[in-house]
Amino acid sequence: MRSGRLSLRTSLSHRIRRERQIRSLHREYARLRSATSTTDSPADILLRDGLAVFPKFFDTAQVDRMRAAVPSVEECRLSPEGTLTRFYSDAATIPELSPFFACDLVTDTMRTVLGPTVTMHRSTVQYRTVEGHTGAFEHFFHIDSWRPRYKAFLYLVDVTEDNGPFTYIPGTQFGTWRRRYDRDIARVFQAGADGYIHDEASAYVGCLWPHEQAALCARLRTEPRTVTGKAGTLILFDARGLHRIRPLVHAPRIILSSYWIREGQHT
């Protein structure tokens, strides 16, 4: 009986601590958003909308050099997260890819929105080659985390409506609507030793059904923004906001990706 009471107290203590952390982060984020200026700096756009897009940020010659340097799809690991994506880890160590992974605009923006302990948690080359709806969580609108987490994508091929464009719902990175989702993620999500998802509960926590997403957009008076663009298009986004990758009609889609957190705060 005593053991059961201790377990109950510990569980309650954990829930209270998580709730305090979530509320504290919500207050901090509200302060950051209220301090944005009208200069439309990348950080201000990111804080207000959750998404900043820079078409043709890298020119054709730069993209061609990076594309020539990426490992082949055969050299890439199959994602353990059920997405059928193939990726190459630690891509920032490839010198020819430094224009993206060491980009001042990206680094400075991430430092502004995340603070002095910002760190690039992952750097990858990603190949998506499987056409059709795979049933993976990434094809549903979802929230990555309750903690601050930002990502940068660079299209290495032209991305149209048919080859898996990234889609984001501006304004969903904050708000009272997300409290239960944040609590669910904080309670359920467990990353594997390698930092990736290895179980269904963790993969699908934070996902919305299509009818839920449509109702939320109507309530918040926002709508999904699909990012198509030429190779060289740069995307920065707050991974707390709802986003997804649309199924491929025609393969492939090849991107570079960097993933930014506060040091030690991977969910």
Side-chain angles (χ1 to χ4, degrees), residues 167-231:
T167 303
Y168 193 89
I169 305 181
T172 57
Q173 75 276 18
F174 63 91
T176 57
W177 71 271
R178 56 180 296 124
R179 287 177 182 169
R180 78 173 181 89
Y181 296 98
D182 286 340
R183 292 188 191 105
D184 282 349
I185 295 169
R187 179 176 56 86
V188 173
F189 184 88
Q190 295 290 329
D194 58 2
Y196 287 90
I197 298 168
H198 291 267
D199 66 286
E200 280 195 341
S202 294
Y204 287 93
V205 66
C207 287
L208 272 67
W209 290 111
H211 72 279
E212 293 177 310
Q213 171 262 312
L216 180 66
C217 284
R219 174 182 163 192
L220 299 181
R221 298 183 180 179
T222 186
E223 59 184 19
R225 178 180 174 186
T226 297
V227 184
T228 58
K230 294 288 187 181

Side-chain angles (χ1 to χ4, degrees), residues 17-26 146-147:
R17 185 165 62 250
R18 281 199 305 264
E19 184 65 27
R20 287 174 176 169
Q21 290 174 333
I22 290 169
R23 289 184 179 182
S24 176
L25 286 172
H26 284 188
W146 61 278
R147 294 186 186 272

Side-chain angles (χ1 to χ4, degrees), residues 76-213:
C76 295
R77 172 188 173 192
L78 183 65
S79 173
E81 299 185 333
T83 62
L84 302 182
T85 305
R86 290 195 172 271
F87 68 93
Y88 185 91
S89 297
D90 299 322
T93 62
I94 301 173
E96 294 84 356
L97 305 183
S98 63
F100 170 69
F101 290 114
C103 173
D104 287 341
L105 180 142
V106 175
T107 302
D108 291 346
T109 300
M110 297 304 178
R111 186 176 293 116
T112 298
V113 297
L114 284 167
T117 64
V118 63
T119 183
M120 188 194 300
H121 185 66
R122 288 183 196 154
S123 61
T124 63
V125 177
Q126 293 183 16
Y127 286 85
R128 281 182 169 82
T129 59
V130 178
E131 297 174 356
H133 203 304
T134 63
F137 74 90
E138 66 174 2
H139 288 171
F140 298 91
F141 279 106
H142 64 279
I143 299 163
D144 276 11
S145 174
W146 61 278
R147 294 186 186 272
R149 179 187 298 181
Y150 292 82
K151 294 183 179 180
F153 287 173
L154 177 66
Y155 288 167
L156 289 185
V157 297
D158 294 349
V159 175
T160 69
E161 298 279 350
D162 288 342
N163 60 331
F166 176 74
T167 303
Y168 193 89
I169 305 181
T172 57
Q173 75 276 18
F174 63 91
T176 57
W177 71 271
R178 56 180 296 124
R179 287 177 182 169
R180 78 173 181 89
Y181 296 98
D182 286 340
R183 292 188 191 105
D184 282 349
I185 295 169
R187 179 176 56 86
V188 173
F189 184 88
Q190 295 290 329
D194 58 2
Y196 287 90
I197 298 168
H198 291 267
D199 66 286
E200 280 195 341
S202 294
Y204 287 93
V205 66
C207 287
L208 272 67
W209 290 111
H211 72 279
E212 293 177 310
Q213 171 262 312

Side-chain angles (χ1 to χ4, degrees), residues 1-12:
M1 179 69 73
R2 182 177 297 176
S3 174
R5 288 174 181 169
L6 287 174
S7 177
L8 183 62
R9 288 174 186 167
T10 300
S11 176
L12 179 60

Side-chain angles (χ1 to χ4, degrees), residues 40-90:
D40 281 342
S41 70
D44 286 348
I45 295 170
L46 201 51
L47 286 168
R48 284 198 301 268
D49 299 335
L51 173 71
V53 180
F54 305 89
K56 301 180 183 178
F57 186 79
F58 292 102
D59 63 33
T60 301
Q62 291 173 305
V63 173
D64 286 347
R65 286 193 292 271
M66 287 189 275
R67 175 75 184 275
V70 300
S72 67
V73 68
E74 291 77 18
E75 298 174 79
C76 295
R77 172 188 173 192
L78 183 65
S79 173
E81 299 185 333
T83 62
L84 302 182
T85 305
R86 290 195 172 271
F87 68 93
Y88 185 91
S89 297
D90 299 322

